[in-house]
Amino acid sequence: MSLISFRLFGLGLLLSLLPMLSRAGVIKGTVSGADKAGLAFANVAVRGAATSTGANEQGQFQLRLPAGQYELVFQYVGYRPHIEPVRVPGGDSLLTVNVTLQPEAYNLGEVLVKSTDRDPAYAIIQQAQQWRAYHKREVAAYRARIYIKALGRITDTPAKIMGLFKLGPDIKKGIFYLSESLSDFSFTQPNIVKEHMISSRISGDSRGISFNRASAGRNLSFYENLINPGFSERGFVSPIAANAMLFYKYELVGSSPQGGVLVHKIRVLPRRRTDPVFAGYIYIVDGSWRIHSVDLTLDKDAQLDYVDNLHLAQQYAPAPGNPNVWLIQSQQVTANLSGLGFKGSGYITALLSNYANVVPTYPTPPVAKAAPPVVAEGKDAPPVGQETAAQIRKRKPDLRGLNAQVRKQVKRAQRDSLKNDPFARMPRGEVQLVEKGVNERDSAYWDAIRPVPLSAEEKKDYHVKDSTEVIRRSRPYQDSMDRKRNAFEPINLVLGGYTHLNTFRKRSVTVLPVSQIFQYNTVEGVVLNAQAIFSKRTDDRRFFTITPTLRYGFSRQELNPSLEATWQLHPAKRQQISVVAGRTIENFDKNSQLTPAINTIYTLFDNRNYAKLYRRDGAEFTYLTEPVNGLNLRATAGYFDRRQLYNATDKLLHDVPGRAFTPNQPVSDELADTGFGRSRVATVGLSLDYRPGTRYISRPDGKFNLGSKWPTFNVQGRLAIPHLFGADVRYLLLQAGVRDNISLGLLGTSSFRVNVGGFVGKQEGVTFIDYRHFSGNQTLLSGNFSNFQLLDYYRFSTDNTYLEAHYDHHFNGFIFNKVPLFRQLKWQEVVSLNYLTTAQAGHYVELGAGVEHIFKVIRVDFYTALQSGQRLGTGFRVGVGF
C-alpha cells in the first residue's frame, strides 16, 4: 500500500470513528453517606457547565456526557461537596463512579458575624432578610430544562372506607401512580413561566399525560414571605421572611467553606408549636446572604390535611458563567400520607439543568455597606465581629431602583429573544403547552434521556403495568373488573347512589340516592322521582350525558316526564350544548338552598312546607363556550308554559299543635298576590364571565384554567319576548357583578360576591316566577353558606332594582390554632356578612360567625339579621364546610 493510500485509509478510518468518538458516554454510580446508605436525591453537576442530574431514592445516579475530561461535583444538603475528575471515553461507553460523601464539619470558630446578646444565627438571618428582596429578583429572565418525577405508593389499606364502602378491585398496596416529564421552560420576572412539555410518561397508561408543571415549583421559593406546599389552606412562614423572627428561634450549628464561599448552617425551630412554620436547617452564604440550600420539614403540628409529615429540600448553585446569580438546581418534596384508613408515601423531585439566556438584574450585585471595625475582647478572642441588630440594620443594602432595573432587564431579555425564543409564540396567559405525541416515546427514549435512574421498585412498576396494559384495556379484563365494581350494596344507594360501569365501552349509568328518589311535599304528596344518568365518553375525550326522569306525585296522580342532555362538542376546547325538555315541577327560586331532602324532613316532621312549586312544560337550550381566554359565554333560549299548583295533601308524620301548612303560594313584601294561574314565556339569555389575565394549560385533552390575580367580572341579561308562540310575558332583566377569592396570608382567605341589577323598560304579564329572587334559608340546615341564611325565601323578591353582596372570611386556624382543644380537633373559624337592598328591604344585613372543619366536613354558624338597623332575629345554621 502506498503512502498516499495509507493516509487516505487512515483519514477514512478517522472520519468513520468521529461519530463514535463524539457519541455520549454514560456515567453511573451511587452517592452514599458515611454509613454507606444511599443519599436520596443527591445532586450531581458538571463543574463549570449547565449540566446536572440527581440521584433516585436509593442514591443511584446516571449522567450522559460527550467524550472528554470533566469534573463532577457531588452535593447533598448537610454533607461536604466532593469533586471527582472523570474521563469519558469515546463511543457508547459506561463508566461507574461511586462516591461517599462525608458530613460537613461546621466550625463555630470561623463565624464572621455575631450579635452581642444572642446566638450569631440571628445576625445572619437578619442579613438574609435584608437581602431577600434582591435575591428574589436578582435574575430578570432565564431558560432551562426541567425533569420532574412523581410517585405515590399505598402501604396499608382499610377493609372498608369509613367502615362502609368496599374497596375497588384496582386499589392495592404498592405504587399507584408513577409519572415522568421533561420540559423546556422560560422564566421572566415577576413570575411569568412558559413551559413546553417535550415528553411525558405515566406507568401503565400509554395514553395519559402527566400534570407535572415547572411553575408549580416556583410557588416554593423561600424568598417569599409565605410558602404553601399544598395539603393546607394556610401558608407557612419562610425562615427568612420579613417577620420570621416572630415565629422562629435560630441556632448557628457552624460554618464551612464550600466552593469558594463560606456557608452557615442554621437550625430553625418554631417559637410555638402552634405557629405555621418549618423545622430543620437553612444554609446561608456569607457575604451575599443568599440561600445555599434548605432542609426543612412540616409535621402534624402544621395542621396538614391527610399528611403525617412533609420534607422539602432545595439546592442552589451559581448560574453558568455568572457567579453573582444563583439558580435552583434541584427540589424534592416527600411526604408520608394517611387518611380514611389508608397509609402511604410519595415524592415529587424536580431537576433543573441546561440553563441559558440568564439575564441578571444587575451586572454586579449592589455593594453591601461596610461592617464596623472588629473589637477584640482579649488576646485569645475569636475572629468575630460584634454587631448589634441596630448596627446590622444600618448595613441594609440600598435597593432603591430595583424594580425599575428589573423592568429594564426584562425588556432587554424580551427584545434579545424575539428572534430565537421558542416561547414567544405562546399566547399571553398560556403557561404550559403540551402538544399531541408527548406520550408516544418508547422506553429506549426514556432510558437515553432520563437524568435520574429508576429504582428497582420503579422499574418493576413500569415493567408490570406497561406489559399488562393491553390486557387491562381488553374487554374480558375490564368486564371482570366491572363485575366486582358493580356489585350492589344497599348502603351505596342510601348514601351516594349507585353507578353501573361499562369501562370498555366508556359507559356508565348512575341512579340517584334514596333521598332524591323518594320525596314529599304538600303539592304532590309522596313523590317517586325515578331518574338515571347515562354517560358516554369517546376515544377523543368528548362526552355525552342524557338524564331521563319520570316523576310521579301520588296525591296529584300526575306523571311528569322530562329529559336533559349535554354534549361536549370539542375534544379539547370548552364547547357544550345542552337541552332540557318535558314537564318538570320547579321551585319559584331555581337557585334555592331548599333541597328536596331538607323540605321533605321539615314538611313531614315540623309542619313547615317551605317549598313553593309550580309546573313547567317546555324546553330550554343552552350553549356554553370560551371564545377567548378568560371569557366564558353562556347563551340560552327557551319556551315554557307554566301552571300554578295547589296543595293536594296535608298528611305528615309528626303534627305540631297549632301549626298548619301554608298555601302553595310565596309571600312577598312587593307583591300582595303571587298567584298567576297560567303563564307562557319565551326567553333568551346571555351571560358573560370574564377574568382578565387568566393563566392556563393547553393539552391535547383540554384547556385547563389556573386562575388569575384579577377577579371575575360578570354581566348578564334575560329578555322575555312577548307574543312568540303565544307568550304573554315581556321584561328585560340586566345584572352586573364581580367575585373573587383573596389570600391574606396568615390571616386567612376572603371571598366576596357583589351583584347589582334590575328590570328595565316596559314590563308586561310579569309573574312572581319572573321576579329576581334572593336565595334565603329558614331551616337549621344550610345548603350554601355563601348565600343568605336568615332571609325568608321570597320576602324581598323584586321586579325593580337591587344590590346584593356576600363576604366570607376563613381564618384557616389563625385564632383557633392557639387554643389547644380546637387545634387538636383542627376546627377553624369563619365570619361572614350578607347584604341586600331593594325598594322593600331597605338595608338588610346578616352578620355571622362560625366554626368549620368539624369532623373535617361540618360547619356551624350563628347569624344575626338586621333590617335598616332593627334586629330581625338570630339563628344557627349547620351544613357542609371543608
Side-chain angles (χ1 to χ4, degrees), residues 811-863:
F811 285 93
N812 298 338
F814 180 76
I815 300 172
F816 281 2
N817 280 341
K818 299 175 177 60
V819 181
L821 177 60
F822 287 159
R823 188 172 190 281
Q824 186 176 3
L825 294 172
K826 296 187 177 181
W827 292 2
Q828 296 183 0
E829 58 280 26
V830 59
V831 296
S832 57
L833 167 68
N834 301 314
Y835 173 79
L836 174 67
T837 179
T838 70
Q840 295 295 323
H843 299 283
Y844 175 84
V845 178
E846 291 179 356
L847 301 174
V851 181
E852 57 186 349
H853 292 203
I854 302 174
F855 303 116
K856 294 189 179 293
V857 297
I858 303 299
R859 173 174 167 178
V860 178
D861 282 29
F862 177 78
Y863 288 90

Side-chain angles (χ1 to χ4, degrees), residues 309-323:
N309 58 73
L310 183 144
H311 177 255
L312 201 156
Q314 293 177 346
Q315 184 86 41
Y316 288 80
N322 194 332

Side-chain angles (χ1 to χ4, degrees), residues 289-346:
W289 313 112
R290 66 174 75 251
I291 296 175
H292 174 276
S293 51
V294 298
D295 182 15
L296 299 169
T297 61
L298 297 170
D299 58 19
K300 287 182 177 294
D301 289 331
Q303 301 289 288
L304 298 174
D305 293 327
Y306 306 109
V307 176
D308 294 332
N309 58 73
L310 183 144
H311 177 255
L312 201 156
Q314 293 177 346
Q315 184 86 41
Y316 288 80
N322 194 332
N324 294 323
V325 173
W326 284 43
L327 297 168
I328 190 168
Q329 278 189 317
S330 62
Q331 177 173 275
Q332 294 83 37
V333 179
T334 59
N336 290 317
L337 315 169
S338 65
L340 301 176
F342 291 92
K343 290 186 178 180
S345 63

Side-chain angles (χ1 to χ4, degrees), residues 419-466:
K419 296 181 180 179
N420 59 0
D421 185 3
F423 302 101
R425 298 189 298 271
M426 294 177 65
R428 186 179 182 86
E430 187 178 50
V431 300
Q432 185 184 49
L433 173 63
V434 183
E435 296 179 310
K436 186 177 181 180
V438 297
N439 54 357
E440 296 177 359
R441 315 287 189 178
D442 59 16
S443 57
Y445 164 86
W446 283 100
D447 290 341
I449 63 94
R450 179 185 292 117
V452 179
L454 298 175
S455 66
E457 180 189 25
E458 293 164 350
K459 288 179 180 178
K460 181 180 178 181
D461 189 72
Y462 269 129
H463 175 74
V464 172
K465 291 181 180 177
D466 289 351

Side-chain angles (χ1 to χ4, degrees), residues 14 28 39 46 97 113 155 166 259 292 319 354 356 371-372 404 413 424 434 546 557 593 648 653 675 760 808 810 848:
L14 179 61
K28 288 188 176 182
L39 298 177
V46 178
V97 177
V113 180
T155 57
K166 286 186 178 180
H292 174 276
N354 295 15
V434 183
I546 182 169
Q557 298 182 355
Q593 301 181 62
L653 295 180
V760 297
D808 284 276
H810 303 263

Side-chain angles (χ1 to χ4, degrees), residues 97-110:
V97 177
N98 296 318
V99 171
T100 300
L101 301 184
Q102 299 299 323
E104 186 60 79
Y106 288 91
N107 186 355
L108 283 172
E110 297 181 18

Side-chain angles (χ1 to χ4, degrees), residues 843 866-871:
H843 299 283
L866 305 170
Q867 184 182 16
S868 298
Q870 299 297 315
R871 182 175 174 180

